[in-house]
Structure formats: C-alpha cells, structure tokens
Amino acid sequence: MTALAEINAAVRRLTILRCLAEMPGAKANAAVLDITLDAMGCGAARAVIEADLAWLHNEGLARVEAVGPVNVAILTQAGLDTATGERRHEGVARPSLRP
C-alpha cells in the first residue's frame, strides 16, 4: 500500500468509527456507512468499506455481524476511545483537535 493509500485508509477508518459513535445504538450497516462516507468526502467502493469493517473487527475496534445479507458494524469501547482520541491505534488517523 502506498503512503497516500495508507493515509486515506486511516482517515476512512477514523471516519467510520466517528460515524458509528453518532449512530443510534452505535451501529450501522455497510450501506449506511457507504452513503455517509461519500457525503463526508471519503467515499470508497463498497468492497473497500467492507474490508475496513473487517479490519476494524480484527483490531477490536468494532464488531461486525452478518444480519442476513447485510454486515452490521457495532462500535466497541476501544473503537469509541480511538474515535475520540482517548487512545491511539496504528492504522487509524488521530482525530483533529480543531473544531
């Protein structure tokens, strides 16, 4: 992965975590995240978002559960701590301190 691709992935993963933190129940399906990421300027192909969700699951930052044909991501406490900047996690961008 190139340096630019790594930066984009880290920012996209942070954005996913922050979106989950704002969703009711701290969960959302991949389709909702796809639309939300696109609106926030860091959209990617659905396969890339699904890969990010799998990565976040493997890292313990979110749980991903299959509900029929849909993957639902659920934020973990570690994911919330990463999203708010309380903790650092390699592969996830740090949130900006700017408003």
Side-chain angles (χ1 to χ4, degrees), residues 17-92:
L17 294 176
R18 293 175 93 177
C19 288
L20 289 173
E22 304 244 348
M23 297 287 181
K27 62 183 175 180
N29 66 42
V32 169
L33 291 170
D34 186 7
I35 294 164
T36 305
L37 289 171
D38 190 48
M40 297 180 80
C42 47
R46 179 71 62 88
V48 172
I49 294 168
E50 293 279 1
D52 283 337
L53 293 179
W55 187 92
L56 292 167
H57 177 84
N58 290 336
E59 297 293 318
L61 302 175
R63 286 191 339 267
V64 178
E65 299 175 358
V67 179
V70 178
N71 283 328
V72 176
I74 304 149
L75 190 65
T76 64
Q77 185 62 50
L80 178 60
D81 292 345
T82 303
T84 61
E86 296 290 320
R87 100 180 239 187
R88 291 182 178 204
H89 195 93
E90 185 72 29
V92 179

Side-chain angles (χ1 to χ4, degrees), residues 3-17:
L4 181 57
E6 288 177 20
I7 291 168
N8 284 333
V11 169
R12 196 173 51 251
R13 292 170 185 153
L14 172 63
T15 304
I16 290 170
L17 294 176

